[in-house]
Amino acid sequence: MTVVLIAFIISIMTGDYSISDTHSEALKFLFSDVRYLKGIGPSKAKVLREYNLNSILDLFFYVPRKYLDHSKIAPISQLVEGETVTIIGEVTSYGFTYGRKRRYIVNIKDQTGHLELVWFSGYKYLDGLFEEGDVLSVTGKVGFYDGYQITHPEFEIISGSDDQPIHTQRIIPVYPETAILRKIKLHSRGLRRVIKQALDQLKNIHCETLPKELRQKFGLLGLGEAIAQVHFPDSPEAVERGHNRLAFEELFYLELLLAARHQKRVAQEPGISFPPPKRLGRKLLDNLNFELTGAQKKVLNEIYADMEKPHPMNRLLQGDVGCGKTVVALLTMLGAVEAGYQAALMAPTEVLAEQHGFSLAKMLDGFDINVVVFTGSVTGKKRQALLDKIASGEINIVIGTHTLIQAKVEFAKLGLIVVDEQHKFGVAQRGILKKKGLYPDTLVMTATPIPRTLAMTAYGDLDVSIINQMPPGRIPIKTSFVPIEKQDKMNEFIAEQVGAGRQVYIVYPLVEESEKIDLKAAKESYEAFKADIFPDMNLALLHGRMKGIEKNKVMVNFKAGKIDIIIATIVIEVGLDVPNANVMVIEHAERFGLSQLHQLRGRIGRGTHQSYCFLLSDSKPTKEAEARIATLCGTNDGFKIAEADMAIRGPGEIMGTRQHGLPELKVANLMDAEMLSLARQSAFEIISTDELLMKSDNRLLREVLINKYGKKIKYSKIA
Ligand code: ADP
Ligand code: MG
């Protein structure tokens, strides 16, 4: 253990890097353990560590939840019941009184009158604290009970102290409090004291974590000033300026870390250089019955440029549902195939894998390319035969689900991985698949589009390509909420559409805890639709508990037009592509998240006929659900929907940032696109000219980066 630790320390110390600058001393203070602060000690420090508050700098970044304005000082004679004020007065008496209830009372006076302070708890702390003649600064809401009084005031004894007040007489910070923090007496009062103490020390050291050029360029406060203003502000405006500076610092160092990792991957990891697939690519384009859109061409150029480099591609392809990512994925895979490598396409569900198998087979008609679908439904001898063929290299393209990452699956020459609907997979799963090849290129695809800088940050060191254009001729989907009394009418409308040759999806949610009930609901509706509502039509039920083969049969029949209406659970959420289907009914729409609703709706609107999406709900939706439904009725734009979703749920939730190994942000907001872009740009610029931050100008950055992320960056060359 010790050996490892020493090796690690040496590894981060290598290079012509030595702590001799003036700022090093100060940095040592900032990154020192909180337990060295007066009033903290090892046991409290242990609790703080659970909150990721390890160093003094962490503590500084533990920003107040809100502020209280205690700056208004009033003489006692001018007190008004119900107002919150600060009073300065001298203690005239103190002690317990016993009435119906035990109380602790302190009487104070100023030149204009007397005031009573009352506590009903906290005696242990209070008793012995005051002396006659002590000058107190007291803040609280004025009450009246046989004279003016304040119960449980904020207070501090200001006589005999040169310290600035921190609980009264000013705008004071209120910190996010938790039961545990309160238990170890680090409620706001305790935190104020500790942070003030650290801040005073900081002011003596003149400490800085951002280079002057950056601060000047973006008009940022110095570190000490920023921390002072965030914790003990002069004014609300000052809070904002302090906040800005801390937020920028957080984003900047995060981006610096990402830039360093990115640079390392681009410059160092060996990979395969694939020339663009001239022969197969041309042939495929000739085969298609459509032209690629400009956006598809643009992202393909980005992808091919990446693939040609002798380093692994790590690219995210974003594009709204229906924008045509599949053909781009295929053209990417052809790059590997033409160079004699295998490609794997991983999808989150069997239905989607089958669907991809179907589309690829169609597009590759007349090609000498072996494509197989390998899912959990392939069993027995057939399975072994497939495994053998994949291992021998006979198969060029393997499409599968999680099954692809099983230990038994071995590739002869895996050169490219495509992951569809990547948000459904963990980073680890992607990693396992990668290890089956030798530094293969990776393309991950998602239909939850988010702003580029945010995507690049949230998804670590992925490069991002965006398809921001729909294939021509698409007619925007009409979406509406259908109240119960109009559902008969909707059914009539559906019958008309089917009569005209169209096809329909009716979807029921499947929430885990009530899976059985929902399944029952879907089955019952299926029976009811079949018997009463649409007796003349071909209906089919599709749900997650069906066997792969059965599911597949339904899908094939639906695609072939043999089924008019599919009654389905969530399994159809992703990827299905039946352009003739133009009606989507979503039952219990209130239960779905925004992006799910948008994904579901994306199953229609793919053909030449006007499409309709109907949202149903038989219970009264919550305010949030109502907002989601309204958003969906209002726009078809996936970017707008993703943004609305982030506003409702927060970006971390949506992108699973933790899962992606991003450090937690304490002050900054990833949604602040402008600041994020500036921080990213600055960081990448610096790394592009000084990859290892070895120049003397960049020494501060290097030191702070190592201190902030030491453990996390050991795999980048900087460490
Ligand atoms: P998604 O991006 O949601 O995966 P798909 O790849 O399934 O979208 O494409 C949706 C539909 O659009 C498919 O039927 C596909 O054949 C068709 N398509 C893709 N690109 C084009 C294009 N450039 N012009 C016309 N249709 C296209
Ligand atoms: Mg797709």
Side-chain angles (χ1 to χ4, degrees):
M1 181 65 201
T2 331
V3 178
V4 175
L5 194 65
I6 291 172
F8 171 63
I9 291 170
I10 291 174
S11 81
I12 66 169
M13 293 301 205
T14 45
D16 73 333
Y17 156 70
S18 65
I19 302 185
S20 60
D21 261 353
T22 41
H23 54 245
S24 298
E25 198 55 35
L27 286 183
K28 237 187 245 167
F29 165 72
L30 280 180
F31 291 102
S32 61
D33 198 301
V34 283
R35 74 167 183 268
Y36 299 121
L37 285 171
K38 219 169 78 195
I40 294 222
S43 61
K44 283 185 187 177
K46 206 173 139 203
V47 174
L48 289 177
R49 259 196 294 281
E50 285 170 32
Y51 291 88
N52 262 332
L53 296 169
N54 300 298
S55 66
I56 289 178
L57 193 68
D58 290 336
L59 203 58
F60 285 148
F61 273 73
Y62 192 67
V63 297
R65 174 170 62 86
K66 61 171 187 178
Y67 300 88
L68 297 176
D69 190 352
H70 286 183
S71 57
K72 204 164 94 187
I73 300 177
I76 293 175
S77 63
Q78 284 176 26
L79 296 185
V80 176
E81 203 182 333
E83 274 188 5
T84 298
V85 289
T86 295
I87 298 124
I88 309 226
E90 195 176 298
V91 174
T92 53
S93 67
Y94 56 89
F96 288 104
T97 58
Y98 301 88
R100 251 183 331 118
K101 222 174 156 195
R102 196 177 185 218
R103 292 172 297 162
Y104 197 86
I105 299 225
V106 174
N107 284 296
I108 61 169
K109 65 161 194 202
D110 68 4
Q111 277 151 358
T112 67
H114 292 265
L115 177 70
E116 193 180 57
L117 311 176
V118 186
W119 284 268
F120 297 102
S121 60
Y123 308 133
K124 216 166 104 189
Y125 169 68
L126 295 165
D127 196 25
L129 195 64
F130 304 103
E131 301 222 18
E132 241 170 78
D134 277 348
V135 179
L136 298 190
S137 175
V138 175
T139 303
K141 196 164 156 188
V142 178
F144 192 86
Y145 184 83
D146 273 358
Y148 286 115
Q149 61 169 219
I150 298 181
T151 28
H152 291 210
E154 280 282 2
F155 71 92
E156 51 208 315
I157 302 170
I158 55 177
S159 46
S161 156
D162 299 332
D163 293 346
Q164 295 285 316
I166 55 172
H167 310 300
T168 62
Q169 294 184 53
R170 56 174 314 131
I171 300 175
I172 64 155
V174 178
Y175 295 94
E177 281 185 23
T178 65
I180 302 173
L181 284 183
R182 265 198 298 273
K183 209 157 146 195
I184 59 164
K185 297 239 159 58
L186 280 178
H187 31 57
S188 283
R189 209 177 154 82
L191 279 167
R192 266 174 232 147
R193 240 188 327 251
V194 173
I195 290 172
K196 181 66 176 18
Q197 181 204 139
L199 186 58
D200 288 343
Q201 279 174 268
L202 176 73
K203 282 190 173 151
N204 290 330
I205 327 182
H206 299 291
C207 194
E208 191 43 72
T209 43
L210 280 179
K212 198 162 142 207
E213 304 77 65
L214 276 182
R215 272 183 286 133
Q216 277 173 348
K217 188 168 168 194
F218 298 116
L220 301 169
L221 291 183
L223 180 67
E225 182 60 11
I227 292 168
Q229 294 303 346
V230 162
H231 293 278
F232 300 102
D234 295 333
S235 67
E237 299 73 46
V239 174
E240 201 181 311
R241 293 195 65 203
H243 216 268
N244 250 346
R245 141 79 206 221
L246 297 187
F248 183 88
E249 171 171 339
E250 225 179 5
L251 294 177
F252 172 75
Y253 278 103
L254 172 62
E255 295 294 349
L256 203 59
L257 174 68
L258 296 178
R261 281 188 196 168
H262 184 268
Q263 192 74 12
K264 184 202 169 204
R265 175 168 58 78
V266 171
Q268 295 184 338
E269 268 186 23
I272 313 155
S273 168
F274 296 109
K278 285 219 173 72
R279 186 174 57 85
L280 294 176
R282 175 84 345 250
K283 188 167 172 191
L284 183 78
L285 293 178
D286 290 343
N287 248 22
L288 292 175
N289 54 7
F290 53 76
E291 276 269 318
L292 293 186
T293 62
Q296 284 170 320
K297 286 183 190 154
K298 185 191 72 193
V299 301
L300 267 170
N301 282 335
E302 291 167 1
I303 290 170
Y304 285 150
D306 248 13
M307 288 181 74
E308 205 153 13
K309 290 179 193 151
H311 309 292
M313 167 168 77
N314 220 1
R315 192 166 275 277
L316 171 70
L317 176 60
Q318 290 195 128
D320 208 346
V321 275
C323 71
K325 293 186 289 296
T326 314
V327 65
V328 171
L330 178 56
L331 281 161
T332 304
M333 291 193 279
L334 290 182
V337 173
E338 186 159 310
Y341 284 83
Q342 290 169 298
L345 169 58
M346 186 159 71
T349 63
E350 282 195 14
V351 171
L352 184 49
E354 293 290 353
Q355 157 83 34
H356 279 319
F358 196 89
S359 324
L360 262 54
K362 200 167 121 197
M363 287 192 274
L364 291 176
D365 191 25
F367 282 69
D368 185 20
I369 293 177
N370 292 323
V371 183
V372 294
V373 177
F374 182 77
T375 65
S377 301
V378 184
T379 52
K381 272 195 192 136
K382 209 171 155 207
R383 181 182 184 82
Q384 192 51 50
L386 263 190
L387 283 172
D388 291 344
K389 283 183 183 170
I390 296 169
S392 74
E394 195 182 326
I395 304 289
N396 307 104
I397 297 178
V398 186
I399 304 166
T401 53
H402 299 77
T403 44
L404 290 183
I405 61 180
Q406 286 169 355
K408 286 202 182 112
V409 185
E410 275 174 42
F411 291 84
K413 219 178 164 189
L414 179 61
L416 175 85
I417 291 166
V418 179
V419 181
D420 197 11
E421 308 298 341
Q422 67 91 30
H423 56 284
K424 304 260 168 180
F425 293 98
V427 176
Q429 289 168 320
R430 230 158 63 202
I432 298 172
L433 188 52
K434 258 188 196 179
K435 293 225 172 72
K436 293 186 185 279
L438 208 60
Y439 298 105
D441 281 355
T442 307
L443 181 71
V444 301
M445 308 198 289
T446 180
T448 305
I450 52 174
R452 184 188 293 266
T453 315
L454 178 57
M456 287 189 286
T457 302
Y459 298 127
D461 58 353
L462 292 177
D463 297 303
V464 176
S465 289
I466 298 177
I467 302 182
N468 55 359
Q469 186 184 14
M470 284 288 171
R474 293 281 167 84
I475 310 163
I477 302 168
K478 289 186 176 159
T479 303
S480 51
F481 181 77
V482 182
I484 295 173
E485 64 273 15
K486 293 218 176 127
Q487 287 180 11
D488 287 342
K489 243 185 140 180
M490 179 190 78
N491 288 336
E492 278 168 31
F493 179 80
I494 289 175
E496 272 168 33
Q497 290 294 316
V498 173
R502 304 286 81 72
Q503 290 166 286
V504 178
Y505 298 100
I506 300 178
V507 186
Y508 284 79
L510 206 55
V511 209
E512 255 171 64
E513 59 263 35
S514 58
E515 201 171 326
K516 278 195 189 132
I517 303 170
D518 288 320
L519 192 52
K520 200 169 144 234
K523 278 183 180 160
E524 276 172 7
S525 314
Y526 168 70
E527 297 299 339
F529 280 131
K530 213 162 86 168
D532 306 328
I533 306 173
F534 304 122
D536 313 327
M537 296 172 198
N538 294 317
L539 274 61
L541 186 63
L542 182 67
H543 62 80
R545 295 214 172 164
M546 281 160 61
K547 286 217 183 79
I549 296 171
E550 294 170 40
K551 280 193 250 180
N552 202 28
K553 213 170 107 192
V554 172
M555 280 322 304
V556 170
N557 283 336
F558 190 64
K559 242 190 139 114
K562 289 183 198 156
I563 294 170
D564 301 313
I565 303 177
I566 282 191
I567 312 222
T569 61
I570 197 74
V571 289
I572 66 155
E573 180 188 337
V574 285
L576 292 192
D577 184 29
V578 181
N580 188 48
N582 76 327
V583 179
M584 163 75 55
V585 178
I586 305 177
E587 298 268 359
H588 298 295
E590 81 282 355
R591 289 209 219 156
F592 290 101
L594 250 185
S595 67
Q596 257 184 330
L597 287 170
H598 181 60
Q599 288 270 331
L600 274 173
R601 179 171 61 176
R603 298 307 111 221
I604 56 170
R606 294 174 166 243
T608 46
H609 301 279
Q610 172 68 54
S611 288
Y612 305 88
C613 177
F614 299 118
L615 306 174
L616 272 49
S617 165
D618 53 14
S619 58
K620 190 169 163 29
T622 61
K623 269 233 156 61
E624 272 197 5
E626 234 166 48
R628 290 197 296 266
I629 289 170
T631 305
L632 208 73
C633 292
T635 181
N636 279 307
D637 182 335
F639 271 95
K640 284 201 183 123
I641 287 170
E643 271 172 27
D645 205 15
M646 276 188 275
I648 297 174
R649 292 198 293 154
E653 183 78 9
I654 309 243
M655 297 173 296
T657 41
R658 232 171 252 225
Q659 181 198 342
H660 287 90
L662 267 199
E664 181 192 12
L665 293 174
K666 295 189 174 109
V667 181
N669 179 358
L670 277 178
M671 295 283 281
D672 188 342
E674 195 182 340
M675 188 186 280
L676 190 63
S677 292
L678 292 178
R680 185 171 176 94
Q681 227 175 343
S682 311
F684 274 72
E685 253 165 42
I686 292 167
I687 292 289
S688 75
T689 61
D690 184 12
E691 189 187 329
L692 302 177
L693 298 176
M694 286 301 193
K695 292 187 185 155
S696 58
D697 286 356
N698 292 332
R699 179 175 287 172
L700 173 66
L701 296 177
R702 183 182 164 85
E703 283 184 30
V704 174
L705 188 66
I706 289 176
N707 272 299
K708 271 192 196 248
Y709 295 124
K711 287 179 203 113
K712 293 203 175 85
I713 55 174
K714 62 173 178 279
Y715 43 86
S716 101
K717 206 175 161 191
I718 286 189

